[in-house]
mmCIF file of all heavy atoms in Angstrom:
data_model
loop_
_atom_site.group_PDB
_atom_site.id
_atom_site.type_symbol
_atom_site.label_atom_id
_atom_site.label_comp_id
_atom_site.label_asym_id
_atom_site.label_seq_id
_atom_site.Cartn_x
_atom_site.Cartn_y
_atom_site.Cartn_z
ATOM 1 N N ALA A 336 -8.578 -48.472 -20.706
ATOM 2 C CA ALA A 336 -9.541 -49.387 -20.065
ATOM 3 C C ALA A 336 -10.316 -50.162 -21.147
ATOM 4 O O ALA A 336 -10.541 -51.388 -21.000
ATOM 5 C CB ALA A 336 -10.469 -48.618 -19.136
ATOM 6 N N THR A 337 -10.753 -49.452 -22.167
ATOM 7 C CA THR A 337 -11.409 -50.083 -23.283
ATOM 8 C C THR A 337 -10.574 -51.169 -23.954
ATOM 9 O O THR A 337 -11.073 -52.312 -24.194
ATOM 10 C CB THR A 337 -11.929 -49.035 -24.345
ATOM 11 O OG1 THR A 337 -12.768 -48.101 -23.664
ATOM 12 C CG2 THR A 337 -12.670 -49.696 -25.481
ATOM 13 N N GLY A 338 -9.304 -50.827 -24.153
ATOM 14 C CA GLY A 338 -8.383 -51.761 -24.759
ATOM 15 C C GLY A 338 -8.169 -53.009 -23.912
ATOM 16 O O GLY A 338 -8.139 -54.125 -24.343
ATOM 17 N N ALA A 339 -8.083 -52.731 -22.548
ATOM 18 C CA ALA A 339 -7.895 -53.866 -21.635
ATOM 19 C C ALA A 339 -9.184 -54.704 -21.580
ATOM 20 O O ALA A 339 -9.031 -55.949 -21.492
ATOM 21 C CB ALA A 339 -7.583 -53.296 -20.221
ATOM 22 N N GLU A 340 -10.343 -54.110 -21.632
ATOM 23 C CA GLU A 340 -11.569 -54.872 -21.653
ATOM 24 C C GLU A 340 -11.600 -55.745 -22.872
ATOM 25 O O GLU A 340 -12.049 -56.936 -22.846
ATOM 26 C CB GLU A 340 -12.726 -53.928 -21.561
ATOM 27 C CG GLU A 340 -14.098 -54.566 -21.392
ATOM 28 C CD GLU A 340 -15.236 -53.535 -21.192
ATOM 29 O OE1 GLU A 340 -14.998 -52.529 -20.603
ATOM 30 O OE2 GLU A 340 -16.308 -53.882 -21.672
ATOM 31 N N GLU A 341 -11.280 -55.136 -24.003
ATOM 32 C CA GLU A 341 -11.309 -55.964 -25.291
ATOM 33 C C GLU A 341 -10.299 -57.140 -25.202
ATOM 34 O O GLU A 341 -10.636 -58.210 -25.647
ATOM 35 C CB GLU A 341 -10.957 -55.023 -26.467
ATOM 36 C CG GLU A 341 -12.071 -54.068 -26.751
ATOM 37 C CD GLU A 341 -11.687 -53.011 -27.827
ATOM 38 O OE1 GLU A 341 -10.516 -52.953 -28.220
ATOM 39 O OE2 GLU A 341 -12.564 -52.237 -28.198
ATOM 40 N N ALA A 342 -9.146 -56.889 -24.653
ATOM 41 C CA ALA A 342 -8.132 -57.936 -24.525
ATOM 42 C C ALA A 342 -8.669 -59.014 -23.566
ATOM 43 O O ALA A 342 -8.452 -60.202 -23.842
ATOM 44 C CB ALA A 342 -6.837 -57.358 -23.934
ATOM 45 N N LEU A 343 -9.308 -58.650 -22.485
ATOM 46 C CA LEU A 343 -9.934 -59.586 -21.575
ATOM 47 C C LEU A 343 -10.968 -60.437 -22.306
ATOM 48 O O LEU A 343 -10.999 -61.690 -22.140
ATOM 49 C CB LEU A 343 -10.563 -58.921 -20.367
ATOM 50 C CG LEU A 343 -11.329 -59.800 -19.412
ATOM 51 C CD1 LEU A 343 -10.395 -60.831 -18.793
ATOM 52 C CD2 LEU A 343 -11.998 -58.955 -18.327
ATOM 53 N N GLN A 344 -11.814 -59.825 -23.090
ATOM 54 C CA GLN A 344 -12.821 -60.563 -23.865
ATOM 55 C C GLN A 344 -12.198 -61.555 -24.827
ATOM 56 O O GLN A 344 -12.592 -62.649 -24.962
ATOM 57 C CB GLN A 344 -13.769 -59.594 -24.594
ATOM 58 C CG GLN A 344 -14.652 -58.813 -23.677
ATOM 59 C CD GLN A 344 -15.473 -57.726 -24.339
ATOM 60 O OE1 GLN A 344 -15.301 -57.439 -25.554
ATOM 61 N NE2 GLN A 344 -16.369 -57.088 -23.644
ATOM 62 N N GLU A 345 -11.117 -61.121 -25.474
ATOM 63 C CA GLU A 345 -10.395 -61.975 -26.433
ATOM 64 C C GLU A 345 -9.811 -63.202 -25.620
ATOM 65 O O GLU A 345 -9.851 -64.335 -26.103
ATOM 66 C CB GLU A 345 -9.350 -61.208 -27.143
ATOM 67 C CG GLU A 345 -9.837 -60.237 -28.175
ATOM 68 C CD GLU A 345 -8.787 -59.355 -28.767
ATOM 69 O OE1 GLU A 345 -7.616 -59.594 -28.488
ATOM 70 O OE2 GLU A 345 -9.130 -58.459 -29.544
ATOM 71 N N ALA A 346 -9.249 -62.904 -24.471
ATOM 72 C CA ALA A 346 -8.653 -63.963 -23.691
ATOM 73 C C ALA A 346 -9.720 -64.959 -23.187
ATOM 74 O O ALA A 346 -9.530 -66.192 -23.222
ATOM 75 C CB ALA A 346 -7.892 -63.393 -22.444
ATOM 76 N N GLN A 347 -10.884 -64.402 -22.812
ATOM 77 C CA GLN A 347 -11.979 -65.295 -22.431
ATOM 78 C C GLN A 347 -12.482 -66.164 -23.551
ATOM 79 O O GLN A 347 -12.776 -67.353 -23.410
ATOM 80 C CB GLN A 347 -13.156 -64.437 -21.842
ATOM 81 C CG GLN A 347 -12.819 -63.826 -20.506
ATOM 82 C CD GLN A 347 -13.860 -62.831 -20.021
ATOM 83 O OE1 GLN A 347 -14.595 -62.274 -20.810
ATOM 84 N NE2 GLN A 347 -13.957 -62.639 -18.766
ATOM 85 N N ALA A 348 -12.517 -65.557 -24.746
ATOM 86 C CA ALA A 348 -12.961 -66.326 -25.901
ATOM 87 C C ALA A 348 -11.940 -67.445 -26.231
ATOM 88 O O ALA A 348 -12.268 -68.571 -26.554
ATOM 89 C CB ALA A 348 -13.126 -65.383 -27.138
ATOM 90 N N ALA A 349 -10.661 -67.063 -26.133
ATOM 91 C CA ALA A 349 -9.613 -68.065 -26.407
ATOM 92 C C ALA A 349 -9.635 -69.180 -25.358
ATOM 93 O O ALA A 349 -9.485 -70.385 -25.700
ATOM 94 C CB ALA A 349 -8.249 -67.422 -26.397
ATOM 95 N N THR A 350 -9.891 -68.831 -24.054
ATOM 96 C CA THR A 350 -10.005 -69.817 -23.013
ATOM 97 C C THR A 350 -11.181 -70.765 -23.320
ATOM 98 O O THR A 350 -11.053 -71.995 -23.230
ATOM 99 C CB THR A 350 -10.184 -69.155 -21.676
ATOM 100 O OG1 THR A 350 -9.034 -68.269 -21.400
ATOM 101 C CG2 THR A 350 -10.312 -70.174 -20.532
#
Side-chain angles (χ1 to χ4, degrees):
T337 299
E340 188 175 326
E341 290 172 353
L343 175 61
Q344 289 173 353
E345 289 174 6
Q347 289 171 336
T350 300

